[in-house]
Amino acid sequence: MTDLSSLSPKRLPNAVRRLAASVVLTVIAMAAGSWPAHAVVELNITQGNIQPLPIAIPDFASDGSVDAKAAREISNVVSNDLKSSGLFIPIDQAAFIERGLDVGRAPRFEDWRPINAQALVIGKISNNDGRLRAEFRLWDVLSGKQLAGEQFFTRPKDARRIGHIIADVIYERITGEKGYFDTRVVFVDESGPKNKRVKRLAIMDQDGYNVRLLTTGQDLVLTPRFSPSTQEITYMSFEGNNPKVYLLNIETGQKEIVGSFPGMTFAPRFSPDGQRIVMSLEQGGNANIYSMDLRSRRTVQLTNSPAIDTSPCYSPDGRQIVFESDRDGSQQIYVMNANGSGQRRISSGRGSYSTPVWSPRGDLIAFTKLAGGEFLIGVMRPDGSGERILTEGFHNEGPTWAPNGRVLMFFRESPGAKGGPRLFTIDLTGYNERLVATPSFGSDPAWSPLIN
Amino acid sequence: MRRSTFISIALHLAILLYAVAIFPAGRELDAPMIKDVPIDIITPSEFTKIKAGMVDAKDEAPLAPKPEEPKPKPKAVREKDPPKPAVKQAALPPPLPEEKAPPEPAPKPEKVEKPKEPAPKKEALPKKKPKPTKKAESKPDKPKPKPKPAQKAKKKRDFNADRIAALLNKIPDAANQPNSNFAPEDTPRKPVHGQSSGTGMTMSVNEIDALRAKIAQCWNPPPGGLGADSIIVKLRLQLNQDGSLIGYPTVANWGGSPFFQAAADSAVRAVFQCQPYDLPAGKYAVWRDMILTFDPRQMYGSG
């Protein structure tokens, strides 16, 4: 008080007052700043309208160093991949308003909104000294924001792969999930009449392109499985009429028998770290599950029942193994720890269950179920709850997971003399089922991990 | 003891007298205070008006920056670090979309966002804006100053020990004065005042439900994945009076995962797709700021 008044000579008080006023102002300002919190409308949106995202994918441009057709093929790969996921709807190119897009320039978004495009992919392919160069940008049409922009270089013969990689980038950016388009599938290629089928090991891109045969077809082959490295596969072959599990290096063609067991070995699968193989060994009409360390060749017996225990598959963390067994009379699904302890049955519905496969995400186990004279493909949680059938029909079998755990591939046998197995994919919703076009019949698919 | 108490009393009296004697000067000084008083007169209604003024300012601001950065065509990609550079470069070049055919890539949103963030700060600084309001309302201003001096003068004349209290109350007085002024001010403005006052300024349940339903219809969340079906996104957005978005919505919470990013993008798309919003014009002050919480848990049954 006194100080203030004593300081009251003309100028100082002004300063003090200003100070005081500014203090007042800031206090008020702070109060005002908090106002909006009260004046604001706050809404919880708890329901959505889940639909495939409309995406516009104009043909990628080429700069003259590359055939326009080749450029268009790459954008077609992108379009087909995204469409096959069921999460995107590519918009018919005839509806496009803006033409002559340039990857280096933002599009006129007002030309894309009327055709309901929510995402737009602009790409360009060129040839740099013999290397293919692909650039693309992904735009959010509604907000006008660029979501992704990348470029890739590759050998011209890997043009399709570039398309898959671009599709993966788009898929991940929009869904948050890892894509699975740049992956491959090993399967058994089947040709010839039904009573004299030739079965050869084959590998292809996830979309059915670039099929390459790995064996000659002299010997029956079954259940090929990828190693996590994607360079090796393990499978069962009847070579020399002695069914054994083999290991094959895809790049070198080198082949070897896994372990030296007295009986028949079958249903092999890699551990998630690629260091071990788990499989069934049959002796005297009784099959048990063994694991073998690929380095030390040491084998460990994991089950010991008078029944047939087979189709073992590790959980993604490698701590547990799911397998099928008929120890309770009919085929059912069991889970045990990786050392064979704690075996317990998880399937409980009517019918019999087989070929369990643990999802790479760990949250589900896919299986084949035989019930009511039909073979069904379904999923359940690792504790056996939440069983859900995704597809049914005359004969469906052998599910395998895409690396992101959202899509399954399986084979479906068609009846009749001319019938045969075909490969299909289905996503977890059960609504998006698609044929994977292969040159001939195909069975026993196994999806690769992500390719690095 | 007595001496000291006398001295004490004497000094106190002297101080009091001194203070009283100085008061006249105090009056003169008070006059400038009055100018500041309006600043204190921030009532909800005025505040919203102030905000409206700010809105315009924001609009202008974004426009200005855009022209400054008009790069026509970004030459997209550098060789070895293709992806990242491409993105960055793309962001830099964008000019205004409407004005020029050339691209406004990522940059737009960024620029817009920046203005938005400052916006809250601006709101916090009503100082500048109150003045404009005064000017605009020249009539009300004049009445204000007159009453104030009168009041102060009375107080001074009445002077007593209360004076000290008055001095102490300077700040409170300022606050009170605005209020007292407020009433007279309001009377001339009745219509505006009515709109902005109290309980009438909330949205009805029906209006809220309609808005919620509309946004839900526009919201296409990414497919639920493991852990992705429980990601909640909070968006803060501002609307023009015609119900269109101002700038780019701000994501008010944070998550670094690709899942969060995808979820946030889907929420932003929903908000863009749904505009313009058909909301009661009279309640603009209420809905010009909105916070939307997109919560998919119920939908995916993972709540």
Side-chain angles (χ1 to χ4, degrees), chain A residues 17 25 29 49 104 106 137 151 173, chain B residues 29 39 74 78 82 90 103 124 265:
Chain A
R17 290 221 169 96
L25 283 175
N49 183 12
R137 286 173 201 265
Q151 73 170 354
R173 187 61 185 77
Chain B
L29 290 174
I39 297 169
R78 292 174 193 167
D265 284 344

Side-chain angles (χ1 to χ4, degrees), chain B residues 22-42:
Chain B
I22 287 174
F23 257 106
R27 288 182 192 171
E28 293 175 3
L29 290 174
D30 279 344
M33 279 292 288
I34 294 168
K35 289 180 183 175
D36 291 341
V37 169
I39 297 169
D40 301 342
I41 308 182
I42 296 181

Side-chain angles (χ1 to χ4, degrees), chain A residues 11-300:
Chain A
R11 288 186 185 178
L12 267 184
N14 270 338
V16 172
R17 290 221 169 96
R18 274 183 205 152
L19 193 83
S22 70
V23 168
V24 173
L25 283 175
T26 45
V27 169
I28 290 167
M30 288 168 69
S34 65
W35 263 122
H38 304 292
V40 166
V41 172
E42 294 204 39
L43 273 189
N44 281 342
I45 312 297
T46 57
Q47 293 300 320
N49 183 12
I50 302 181
Q51 286 183 333
L53 186 89
I55 185 168
I57 310 176
D59 290 340
F60 283 5
S62 60
D63 67 351
S65 61
V66 173
D67 187 14
K69 213 171 156 188
R72 193 183 317 134
E73 186 180 346
I74 293 177
S75 44
N76 284 343
V77 169
V78 175
S79 181
N80 289 335
D81 279 349
L82 294 174
K83 184 180 177 188
S84 75
S85 73
L87 303 178
F88 297 82
I89 293 187
I91 294 171
D92 185 353
Q93 298 212 7
F96 296 172
I97 299 167
E98 184 182 13
R99 307 276 173 173
L101 294 156
D102 180 347
V103 73
R105 173 174 72 71
R108 290 197 305 270
F109 297 108
E110 60 272 23
D111 280 358
W112 296 96
R113 290 177 190 131
I115 61 172
N116 291 324
Q118 297 203 1
L120 170 63
V121 182
I122 302 176
K124 178 182 164 190
I125 308 297
S126 54
N127 193 322
N128 267 21
D129 300 332
R131 284 194 314 162
L132 212 55
R133 170 176 150 176
E135 314 157 56
F136 87 98
R137 286 173 201 265
L138 170 65
W139 297 92
D140 186 319
V141 172
L142 291 168
S143 66
K145 189 170 101 172
Q146 176 177 311
L147 298 178
E150 298 194 18
Q151 73 170 354
F152 304 94
F153 293 90
T154 189
R155 297 171 299 179
K157 69 172 205 165
D158 286 337
R160 289 188 66 86
R161 194 174 167 200
I162 274 200
H164 292 310
I165 291 172
I166 291 174
D168 277 337
V169 172
I170 295 169
Y171 182 94
E172 179 169 4
R173 187 61 185 77
I174 304 253
T175 68
E177 270 178 349
K178 282 279 180 198
Y180 58 91
F181 305 120
D182 182 30
T183 54
R184 291 185 280 179
V185 172
V186 289
F187 65 104
V188 175
D189 174 272
E190 301 192 17
S191 53
K194 206 165 194 174
N195 58 358
K196 202 181 172 185
R197 254 321 131 66
V198 177
K199 295 191 176 188
R200 293 175 292 191
L201 226 48
I203 187 169
M204 65 179 183
D205 291 349
Q206 144 280 136
D207 59 355
Y209 282 78
N210 293 332
V211 174
R212 199 173 109 209
L213 297 172
L214 299 174
T215 60
T216 60
Q218 279 182 320
D219 310 297
L220 185 67
V221 290
L222 286 173
T223 65
R225 308 289 182 227
F226 263 108
S227 100
S229 74
T230 77
Q231 298 305 310
E232 285 183 321
I233 58 174
T234 179
Y235 62 101
M236 178 210 188
S237 170
F238 284 76
E239 205 167 313
N241 281 327
N242 185 16
K244 291 286 186 192
V245 168
Y246 287 78
L247 207 55
L248 172 70
N249 186 307
I250 299 172
E251 305 296 317
T252 66
Q254 200 177 5
K255 191 170 72 174
E256 62 173 306
I257 294 181
V258 176
S260 54
F261 299 97
M264 172 173 100
T265 53
F266 57 101
R269 206 181 279 274
F270 282 93
S271 65
D273 61 6
Q275 301 301 310
R276 273 165 296 163
I277 284 180
V278 63
M279 60 196 160
S280 286
L281 168 63
E282 190 264 4
Q283 284 176 297
N286 162 19
N288 282 305
I289 293 172
Y290 290 73
S291 74
M292 190 185 88
D293 188 299
L294 287 173
R295 284 191 195 146
S296 67
R297 302 278 154 172
R298 198 170 71 91
T299 58
V300 178

Side-chain angles (χ1 to χ4, degrees), chain B:
Chain B
M1 288 302 295
R2 286 188 180 178
R3 256 195 190 183
S4 58
T5 53
F6 273 117
I7 292 170
S8 164
I9 292 169
L11 282 174
H12 275 90
L13 283 175
I15 290 165
L16 277 176
L17 286 172
Y18 184 43
V20 171
I22 287 174
F23 257 106
R27 288 182 192 171
E28 293 175 3
L29 290 174
D30 279 344
M33 279 292 288
I34 294 168
K35 289 180 183 175
D36 291 341
V37 169
I39 297 169
D40 301 342
I41 308 182
I42 296 181
T43 64
S45 63
E46 290 198 356
F47 178 72
T48 54
K49 288 171 191 169
I50 289 165
K51 281 164 92 186
M54 293 187 60
V55 173
D56 297 339
K58 289 175 187 177
D59 288 345
E60 292 171 5
L63 291 174
K66 290 174 184 178
E68 290 176 7
E69 303 179 12
K71 291 183 184 179
K73 301 180 182 179
K75 290 179 183 177
V77 213
R78 292 174 193 167
E79 286 215 349
K80 292 186 179 179
D81 311 324
K84 295 176 183 176
V87 176
K88 291 178 183 176
Q89 289 182 352
L92 294 177
L96 286 177
E98 298 176 358
E99 297 178 357
K100 298 181 181 180
E104 317 162 83
K108 258 194 173 181
E110 292 180 359
K111 293 175 182 179
V112 178
E113 286 178 2
K114 290 175 184 176
K116 291 178 182 178
E117 293 177 356
K121 295 177 183 175
K122 290 178 181 176
E123 293 175 10
L125 308 175
K127 301 176 183 178
K128 297 175 182 176
K129 296 184 177 177
K131 291 177 182 176
T133 59
K134 287 182 180 180
K135 293 175 182 176
E137 310 161 7
S138 57
K139 293 178 183 177
D141 284 347
K142 292 176 181 176
K144 294 176 186 178
K146 292 177 182 176
K148 292 173 186 177
Q151 290 177 354
K152 290 179 182 178
K154 290 176 184 176
K155 287 179 184 177
K156 293 168 186 176
R157 288 171 191 170
D158 294 343
F159 165 80
N160 275 333
D162 293 342
R163 290 247 165 132
I164 295 174
L167 284 175
L168 287 172
N169 286 342
K170 262 188 185 177
I171 294 175
D173 265 347
N176 291 338
Q177 288 174 359
N179 287 340
S180 59
N181 291 338
F182 179 101
E185 229 187 13
D186 287 352
T187 45
R189 290 186 198 168
K190 274 181 184 176
V192 177
H193 182 56
Q195 280 183 358
S196 58
S197 67
T199 56
M201 286 298 280
T202 56
M203 291 183 52
S204 72
V205 174
N206 282 343
E207 288 161 352
I208 293 271
D209 280 351
L211 179 59
R212 183 184 285 122
K214 178 170 187 185
I215 296 172
Q217 193 60 32
C218 293
W219 183 34
N220 183 9
L226 196 60
D229 46 12
S230 56
I231 290 179
I232 294 169
V233 176
K234 253 191 173 184
L235 277 196
R236 177 151 191 177
L237 49 109
Q238 294 184 313
L239 299 177
N240 290 310
Q241 275 185 313
D242 64 1
S244 62
L245 275 180
I246 298 177
Y248 200 86
T250 316
V251 179
N253 58 345
W254 172 247
S257 73
F259 287 111
F260 183 86
Q261 181 126 61
D265 284 344
S266 80
V268 169
R269 272 197 295 274
V271 163
F272 271 103
Q273 171 138 38
C274 262
Q275 69 170 341
Y277 295 85
D278 185 15
L279 296 166
K283 297 178 182 175
Y284 176 60
V286 175
W287 52 258
R288 84 178 282 289
D289 273 288
M290 289 204 282
I291 293 177
L292 302 180
T293 303
F294 292 83
D295 181 353
R297 289 175 301 180
Q298 208 173 313
M299 221 176 2
Y300 291 118
S302 63

